Amino acid sequence: MPRVGIPRAFSYYYFYPFYRGFLEALGAEVVVSPRSSRRTLDLMQACPTDEPCVSVKLCFAHTSWLQSAGVDFFFLPYMVSVDPANYLCPKMIGMTDMLRVGLGLPDARVLAPTVDRKDRPGQWERTFTEVAARLGVGDPARVRAALEAAGAEQARFRRLCREGLTVPEAIARLEGREVPRPRRYSARARPDPGLRIGVAGHAYILYDLIGHDLVNRLREYGRVFTAEMVDDETAAREVATLFEGEKMWYIEGHLLGAVFHWLRNCLVDRLVLLEAFECGPMSIVENFVQEEADASGIPLLILTVDEQTGEAGLVTRLEAFMDTSPRADSRTLRVSPLLHTTVFPQRGPEPRQLRAGVVTMGSLEVGVRAILQECGVEVVRLPHLGKETVELGKELAPEFICFPMVTLLGEMRQLLARGANMLLMVMGKGKCRLGWYAQVQELLLRRYGYQFEMPAFNSPFPLRTNWGPFAHVVKHVAGGASWPRIIRAFRFGWRKVVLMDEGERLLQRWRAFEDERGAADRAYGRFLAALDRADSYRDINRAWQHYREELEGIPTRDTDPLHVRAVGEIYVLLEPLVNKDLEKIVGTRVGQRVWVHRELCASDWFRLHVFCDRRLRRREEYVRHAASPYLRELVGGHGAESVGGAVLAPREGMDGVLHLMPFTCMPEIVAQNVLVRAADEHDVPILTFIMSEQTGEAGVITRVEAFLDLLEERRRVRRSGRATVGMPTGRLEWRADEVS
Ligand code: SF4
């Protein structure tokens, strides 16, 4: 009988009954790692990088325990989407690959069926059948029976939870065990059977050692309700009242729906939200919880934990909250402020009074502004972006939201201060947080008292369902301009964007060969200004021609530059405010010549995702294929492209890779994690920059200097015919809070 190990982390807390039911029906012995202990926290060091949230590190710890327990197989399903409308958190999607690569688990011992009901709805059963075959069960009838047994076990589990058992209690009941009553925690707590306390948090945090047994501590004060006690239909119905709420990540959508259900139906008197430090999805969810709790008058406590969180501090906050929170008048039902809130159209001013504010990502704003002006829409210009922009964003932004959202929020406040009454923002919901930016930014800005409208652009694809709403937004934003005028305007703005990106590619090259440092940058600066002023194609072409001539006029010499590839999250890659103008820092080093290569740019993103450019599609597939030994599931953003781009770098003539990501960026945290092994196996030096509002330019420069010195040394060694394998790949990591 094969021994199959299941780590007591992550999806164990949501789907273990299904896993156990399936594996045991196939005759396997299921081995679950023991409950987390101090020893488990030590094993978290098995996680190759420091960036992931504590939940990922716990999964590493539990899986490495199973390694030492000598199980035959590791059951590590790819949990991508369990509901056709949404995904799971990118870190959960990437967990199997992080464990496989980070712990060096041989494929032969990893059982990894894939559950992706959103993009590959019909495939999950086939992948479970493949697992059955690897466990020696090829009989389809037996596999079907095992899946049915698993489904029945899962349904029993959900029923026990709805009947008021917590996840561990329901699992114990399924296994014929009773969970022992916990010891008494607080001498101060005065039990009040009438007090109802709602607790919402990831089960893999709440019921793990790092959750400090919160549920049982609160049971000493009153009756506790947890999210798993709310049935899926109710939670889904409630969260769907939020604009595109059904697209919220599955687990977090259930949490939020449960919270809405409790608050809107006066089912709790207190609410406690438990989050992991740096949790991506909760940095979005908490805003909607706060809004609903404020409107309901129900006291809310948000607790954030990680492996460093001390029990004493947490207990003090809990006791203070329980002792001092007023008993809300929860008899009166009330209308939620979030009900059916759409981001568009608010009863904003009539089209003729529109004053549009365009946030930016690199030079994209120049193109968008040109389009709006060509449509006759008044556009408010952004001021020079800098420290003030970041401070304004930080003032309103949730603690662990990704940095791009912070700077965009700051830009929005600067635009509103300059008289904008319409803010443009993209909105397409995918695996990462970008799709929720617009709704959270609107919520935060309105809560602060700003009046405006925020038409958010969703993808026009699939045209059958999305073209109508998309066209409606375009028409409104264009001030009611005719379609022929809108198309002409788009072409004009697009021309500017394309030339800006082309111009930047030339700049990256000229920096590497120019005789006089900075000459190319000055020429590019003049080109950008001329392009921005251009209000005809003739002006645009003249600006472009002039820039090319200026470059050709710059004296150059053969400098034998280093070649460095820049990969990472698109906003951080393209926005100098956030990346500290890193490409310029690297490309204009005195005494060191570097040609920075970056494939990602605004115009190519558009060509690939809107115009479906075949050349770019082939390149994307090639890069993702190169990533696949390390990342088999797409985790959103440009995670796969970062891994593939780094793996291909040595083969494509690069001396090193710069990996840029915003603090807490989920897809890039997964990429960074698997890149540890990839860097060693492909002998490619990678310098990772994790950018946040604490990023200091001096620190960036220090790191760049050390990295370029290493690349030059490696090149010298390579050219002397000696191998560089074994030389430090220089996988330097620089956390934003290492301020210097
Ligand atoms: S970021 Fe949040 S949702 Fe994602 S794995 Fe970590 S704790 Fe879970």
Side-chain angles (χ1 to χ4, degrees):
M1 181 190 282
R3 297 178 68 235
V4 179
I6 298 179
R8 189 189 295 261
F10 261 158
S11 66
Y12 160 91
Y13 286 95
Y14 293 91
F15 305 109
Y16 168 65
F18 188 97
Y19 301 162
R20 184 174 69 104
F22 176 69
L23 294 167
E24 287 186 348
L26 296 173
E29 177 199 344
V30 172
V31 179
V32 177
S33 55
R35 291 171 55 80
S36 292
S37 63
R38 293 276 138 224
R39 171 95 184 92
T40 314
L41 300 188
D42 298 339
L43 287 173
M44 287 165 63
Q45 282 155 28
C47 180
T49 51
D50 198 35
E51 254 56 52
C53 57
V54 64
S55 323
V56 169
K57 295 173 188 166
L58 279 168
C59 207
F60 269 95
H62 281 276
T63 309
S64 50
W65 183 93
L66 291 169
Q67 265 184 310
S68 57
V71 296
D72 303 309
F73 294 100
F74 301 90
F75 189 76
L76 305 171
Y78 283 102
M79 298 303 284
V80 180
S81 152
V82 292
D83 178 317
N86 50 51
Y87 293 107
L88 287 149
C89 166
K91 292 179 198 171
M92 194 178 264
I93 297 173
M95 195 68 236
T96 305
D97 286 324
M98 286 194 273
L99 292 170
R100 220 176 29 81
V101 174
L103 297 176
L105 304 178
D107 285 350
R109 293 180 59 203
V110 174
L111 303 174
T114 301
V115 180
D116 182 358
R117 296 193 58 206
K118 185 165 177 9
D119 299 331
R120 290 159 287 173
Q123 291 195 11
W124 71 273
E125 279 151 335
R126 179 177 55 71
T127 62
F128 274 80
T129 305
E130 287 161 6
V131 165
R134 291 184 57 197
L135 291 172
V137 179
D139 170 8
R142 254 196 86 192
V143 177
R144 233 186 342 274
L147 287 171
E148 280 157 17
E153 200 61 3
Q154 185 68 17
R156 269 188 69 209
F157 167 66
R158 290 297 300 126
R159 196 170 50 250
L160 288 168
C161 291
R162 288 195 301 276
E163 290 163 3
L165 296 187
T166 63
V167 167
E169 290 162 353
I171 290 176
R173 181 75 60 83
L174 288 176
E175 294 178 334
R177 297 179 288 110
E178 277 309 318
V179 174
R181 296 257 5 111
R183 67 179 176 83
R184 181 145 181 89
Y185 285 106
S186 164
R188 302 158 43 123
R190 290 177 305 287
D192 171 356
L195 184 66
R196 301 156 306 163
I197 307 160
V199 180
H202 293 104
Y204 46 79
I205 306 269
L206 199 52
Y207 303 116
D208 188 279
L209 179 72
I210 57 158
H212 295 284
D213 205 6
L214 186 63
V215 169
N216 286 320
R217 285 178 192 277
L218 286 166
R219 278 175 168 167
E220 295 182 354
Y221 290 87
R223 283 170 48 209
V224 172
F225 299 90
T226 57
E228 64 266 27
M229 296 174 188
V230 177
D231 68 271
D232 299 343
E233 295 69 33
T234 303
R237 193 177 54 247
E238 290 282 5
V239 77
T241 59
L242 197 63
F243 187 73
E244 294 196 326
E246 70 285 355
K247 296 181 179 173
M248 179 73 71
W249 300 275
Y250 176 75
I251 294 174
E252 296 73 25
H254 184 96
L255 284 179
L256 189 54
V259 166
F260 284 173
H261 177 61
W262 293 332
L263 296 179
R264 291 171 183 175
N265 299 289
C266 313
L267 298 173
V268 297
D269 307 299
R270 303 262 195 292
L271 179 63
V272 177
L273 191 65
L274 182 70
E275 304 179 6
F277 189 77
E278 292 182 7
C279 173
M282 292 304 267
S283 70
I284 296 288
V285 165
E286 70 174 43
N287 301 287
F288 300 119
V289 171
Q290 186 75 60
E291 190 77 1
E292 197 75 25
D294 290 352
S296 70
I298 301 286
L300 165 66
L301 173 67
I302 300 181
L303 293 171
T304 305
V305 294
D306 69 1
E307 64 273 30
Q308 323 289 345
T309 305
E311 181 179 340
L314 181 131
V315 171
T316 308
R317 291 194 60 204
L318 200 62
E319 289 180 344
F321 173 70
M322 294 309 295
D323 295 348
T324 59
S325 298
R327 188 77 173 254
D329 167 12
S330 56
R331 279 179 303 283
T332 45
L333 286 179
R334 46 161 204 78
V335 177
S336 157
L338 295 167
L339 265 184
H340 305 306
T341 49
T342 66
V343 290
F344 170 77
Q346 304 297 328
R347 272 279 34 90
E350 293 315 308
R352 66 183 168 281
Q353 295 157 342
L354 282 177
R355 284 185 299 283
V358 183
V359 292
T360 194
M361 180 176 72
S363 320
L364 189 58
E365 175 255 351
V366 173
V368 178
R369 199 158 21 83
I371 295 170
L372 290 168
Q373 284 162 340
E374 286 297 298
C375 290
V377 175
E378 182 190 343
V379 183
V380 176
R381 291 189 76 112
L382 270 169
H384 171 70
L385 302 182
K387 223 169 167 359
E388 192 211 347
T389 311
V390 176
E391 291 308 316
L392 285 170
K394 221 168 84 182
E395 196 183 344
L396 300 190
E399 190 178 1
F400 298 121
I401 201 77
C402 28
F403 194 29
M405 199 277 202
V406 175
T407 52
L408 289 166
L409 198 54
E411 291 178 25
M412 289 174 178
R413 293 187 71 187
Q414 289 178 311
L415 288 164
L416 291 165
R418 289 179 156 218
N421 56 21
M422 175 176 72
L423 298 173
L424 306 192
M425 190 56 198
V426 293
M427 193 175 64
K429 302 258 180 342
K431 291 175 179 159
C432 82
R433 286 174 278 189
L434 173 65
W436 289 96
Y437 279 12
Q439 280 164 268
V440 174
Q441 285 159 337
E442 183 185 8
L443 187 155
L444 295 170
L445 291 166
R446 286 200 188 291
R447 187 189 288 167
Y448 199 77
Y450 291 101
Q451 287 303 319
F452 61 96
E453 61 177 274
M454 186 189 265
F457 285 93
N458 212 335
S459 163
F461 302 112
L463 292 175
R464 192 173 37 73
T465 51
N466 286 20
W467 174 254
F470 176 78
H472 181 61
V473 171
V474 169
K475 269 285 201 177
H476 179 82
V477 167
S482 68
W483 278 111
R485 184 172 182 185
I486 291 172
I487 293 164
R488 277 198 308 277
F490 177 82
R491 280 212 167 101
F492 186 72
W494 171 246
R495 178 84 179 131
K496 288 192 176 190
V497 173
V498 168
L499 291 182
M500 276 186 284
D501 288 341
E502 277 313 307
E504 203 169 20
R505 289 216 165 97
L506 294 176
L507 171 65
Q508 290 160 335
R509 183 165 149 221
W510 247 263
R511 278 175 176 155
F513 299 99
E514 62 186 1
D515 225 6
E516 181 205 339
R517 282 334 231 139
D521 278 88
R522 288 188 290 278
Y524 184 68
R526 286 189 286 272
F527 164 60
L528 271 188
L531 200 61
D532 195 6
R533 286 192 305 274
D535 54 16
S536 70
Y537 281 102
R538 211 153 60 107
D539 290 351
I540 291 179
N541 297 338
R542 191 180 303 130
W544 177 240
Q545 191 53 35
H546 183 67
Y547 173 54
R548 300 296 305 271
E549 287 159 3
E550 263 208 280
L551 287 181
E552 298 297 343
I554 294 173
T556 59
R557 56 193 162 92
D558 180 6
T559 59
D560 187 21
L562 290 167
H563 291 265
V564 170
R565 169 169 287 168
V567 300
E569 192 273 332
I570 190 170
Y571 187 89
V572 172
L573 274 175
L574 301 189
E575 179 46 53
L577 171 68
V578 171
N579 64 41
K580 297 287 164 203
D581 226 347
L582 182 67
E583 284 187 22
K584 186 173 180 183
I585 289 172
V586 173
T588 58
R589 303 278 325 128
V590 176
Q592 285 168 317
R593 292 304 178 126
V594 183
W595 183 342
V596 176
H597 303 260
R598 170 174 38 82
E599 291 186 64
L600 258 183
C601 65
S603 52
D604 276 358
W605 187 93
F606 240 86
R607 286 191 184 101
L608 177 62
H609 296 281
V610 179
F611 305 149
C612 305
D613 179 292
R614 265 183 271 165
R615 177 185 61 80
L616 291 170
R617 180 70 66 206
R618 278 196 303 278
R619 174 66 183 172
E620 181 189 59
E621 282 157 11
Y622 179 68
V623 170
R624 287 181 175 181
H625 178 71
S628 61
Y630 305 95
L631 206 54
R632 291 178 186 155
E633 276 301 330
L634 298 178
V635 290
H638 287 90
E641 288 75 9
S642 297
V643 175
V647 166
L648 289 169
R651 270 181 259 165
E652 296 180 340
M654 301 295 147
D655 296 289
V657 171
L658 294 170
H659 179 211
L660 281 75
M661 52 190 268
F663 181 51
T664 75
C665 174
M666 301 182 282
E668 295 300 334
I669 281 175
V670 176
Q672 180 203 24
N673 197 275
V674 298
L675 275 172
V676 174
R677 179 177 291 271
D680 290 343
E681 291 182 352
H682 293 271
D683 191 26
V684 53
I686 301 177
L687 174 58
T688 298
F689 280 101
I690 302 155
M691 299 293 190
S692 92
E693 55 270 23
Q694 294 168 340
T695 306
E697 188 168 325
V700 169
I701 293 170
T702 313
R703 291 279 167 195
V704 165
E705 281 170 356
F707 186 62
L708 296 182
D709 292 347
L710 172 86
L711 297 190
E712 280 181 341
E713 175 56 22
R714 287 172 56 91
R715 192 164 66 169
R716 257 193 302 281
V717 168
R718 221 179 18 254
R719 287 181 175 169
S720 68
R722 286 177 289 136
T724 55
V725 174
M727 276 184 79
T729 56
R731 191 181 60 73
L732 291 167
E733 209 177 82
W734 186 49
R735 279 189 61 110
D737 51 18
E738 290 175 23
V739 175
S740 59

